[in-house]
Amino acid sequence: MPELPEVECVRLSLERLVVGRLVASVRVIRADVVAGPTSPGALLVGDRVSGVVRHGKQLAIVATGGGCVSVHLGMSGQLCVAGIKKPAEPTEQRTTGVSGSDWPAHTHVVWHLDGGHAIRFTDPRRFGGVWTFDDLDQLIKTRWSRLGPDALTITPSQLWKGLSQTRRALKAALLDQHVVAGLGNIYVDELLFKAKLNPMVPVDRLDREFVPGLIRRMKTLLYGAIQRGGSSLRDYVDAENQRGTQQEHHRVYGRAGLRCMRRGCSGWIKTGQVAGRTTAWCPVCQPIG
DNA sequence: CACCACCCCTGGACGC
DNA sequence: TGCGTCCAGGGGTGGT
């Protein structure tokens, strides 16, 4: 669920709350969500947080000693900052069977910070995870360099380069993190609606001239979603437990069978499978031809 | 190389 | 009420 805007909102809230704080200790409750060295040092214990960075949908916490921990939220992951005196909201489900644990269910890693705060990583579906690196440079070299340019900074020539090497459906190409990093199922559908492009159109049928407009709409959509705190469809919240409101602005996602919301359009929103994902589009506004 | 099917996982919605 | 079934999907892998 978290795509670029949601991950950026987590980054911004995390940055406000934890930069400058000392990592006093770490507790790994589920070791198999952590890849790489799992020593306290590798998980930043003894260092201060110097920054929180993002590329596409991936986050990284960087410490003053150079250490670096990357977090993917996957489908259901959350990074929340909590005061250790009240670790969970009353409505939150508690863990059971974890000795001495008072954290919500599916809490896998907890970083205890100075000032009585903690960062907890929860992820029910465990599509996400935590990766440790010697430093940010190693993370970029081994992982982020394999991703395409970030969706907020990609240039028309970069996107065209990624698209012109393929004959896939446009939606499949935009979902490919090696082409552009940060888009997921929801924002691709919304973007293609705004750009009046059909998700199934083969990329090689498109002209280069459409790329600048597509990028302009993509950045407007993503920045707007960040300003609205992201899309909270089920359980997405930022590091301060705040929900977003972008879901109120969706035009096609989740609107199968409803009227197209574009003024003057009398079409009905269709759904089908494109690139293996549930896809919603308006056949009138987004014709194949 | 390009692309697709498949798999990982759990909670929520829905039908009986 | 409760149980079974299906669906959601980011990203890695292995097969065509």
Side-chain angles (χ1 to χ4, degrees):
Chain A
M1 203 71 66
E3 303 180 25
L4 187 150
E6 292 75 35
V7 177
E8 177 64 7
C9 289
V10 171
R11 190 193 72 78
L12 288 165
S13 49
L14 216 47
E15 195 174 55
R16 280 196 296 273
L17 294 167
V18 304
V19 166
R21 290 198 184 275
L22 180 72
V23 182
S25 64
V26 66
R27 174 149 177 214
V28 179
I29 297 164
R30 245 201 109 106
D32 62 0
V33 305
V34 183
T38 56
S39 64
L43 287 162
L44 313 181
V45 171
D47 275 332
R48 283 187 189 278
V49 175
S50 60
V52 187
V53 293
R54 180 193 60 75
H55 186 88
K57 303 173 194 172
Q58 306 191 13
L59 276 175
I61 300 169
V62 182
T64 47
C68 174
V69 168
S70 175
V71 178
H72 302 211
L73 299 178
M75 266 293 292
S76 57
Q78 293 182 357
L79 273 177
C80 275
V81 174
I84 55 173
K85 299 301 178 194
K86 59 172 199 63
E89 304 303 316
T91 53
E92 281 187 286
Q93 207 183 339
R94 303 303 179 90
T95 46
T96 54
V98 180
S99 59
S101 170
D102 198 23
W103 300 101
H106 308 295
T107 299
H108 304 315
V109 183
V110 182
W111 287 268
H112 294 276
L113 310 174
D114 60 355
H117 284 68
I119 304 171
R120 60 178 163 85
F121 173 63
T122 62
D123 186 15
R125 291 182 209 181
R126 278 181 274 134
F127 282 18
V130 174
W131 282 255
T132 58
F133 296 92
D134 294 339
D135 49 38
L136 182 60
D137 205 49
Q138 190 195 24
L139 163 62
I140 291 170
K141 278 191 177 134
T142 60
R143 293 189 68 90
W144 287 3
S145 65
R146 301 207 302 254
L147 299 172
D150 189 84
L152 287 183
T153 54
I154 193 170
T155 64
S157 61
Q158 285 174 323
L159 182 58
W160 179 248
K161 187 175 172 234
L163 294 178
S164 58
Q165 293 170 353
T166 179
R167 299 175 149 189
R168 280 181 292 177
L170 177 58
K171 171 162 178 174
L174 292 174
L175 281 174
D176 186 343
Q177 303 298 298
H178 302 102
V179 173
V180 50
L183 299 177
N185 201 40
I186 297 169
Y187 289 98
V188 166
D189 278 10
E190 293 300 314
L191 170 62
L192 292 177
F193 175 76
K194 285 183 188 301
K196 300 188 180 184
L197 291 166
N198 189 282
M200 288 169 290
V201 65
V203 170
D204 61 348
R205 290 244 313 263
L206 290 165
D207 197 275
R208 185 177 187 147
E209 290 165 19
F210 88 103
V211 175
L214 182 66
I215 287 189
R216 197 180 64 245
R217 287 184 172 88
M218 180 171 77
K219 293 180 182 177
T220 302
L221 173 67
L222 296 176
Y223 277 117
I226 292 165
Q227 285 192 330
R228 295 185 176 108
S231 299
S232 291
L233 289 173
R234 280 198 195 85
D235 43 19
Y236 163 75
V237 289
D238 70 10
E240 296 168 271
N241 260 306
Q242 296 297 306
R243 291 170 59 84
T245 60
Q246 177 67 23
Q247 66 279 5
E248 296 162 19
H249 298 263
H250 291 165
R251 291 293 177 264
V252 285
Y253 183 87
R255 297 197 66 250
L258 300 175
R259 281 269 188 199
C260 177
M261 292 172 79
R262 197 188 302 277
R263 200 196 331 206
C265 179
S266 55
W268 302 87
I269 303 304
K270 265 186 76 169
T271 55
Q273 291 280 122
V274 180
R277 298 276 176 249
T278 299
T279 300
W281 74 98
C282 172
V284 178
C285 297
Q286 300 162 270
I288 291 211

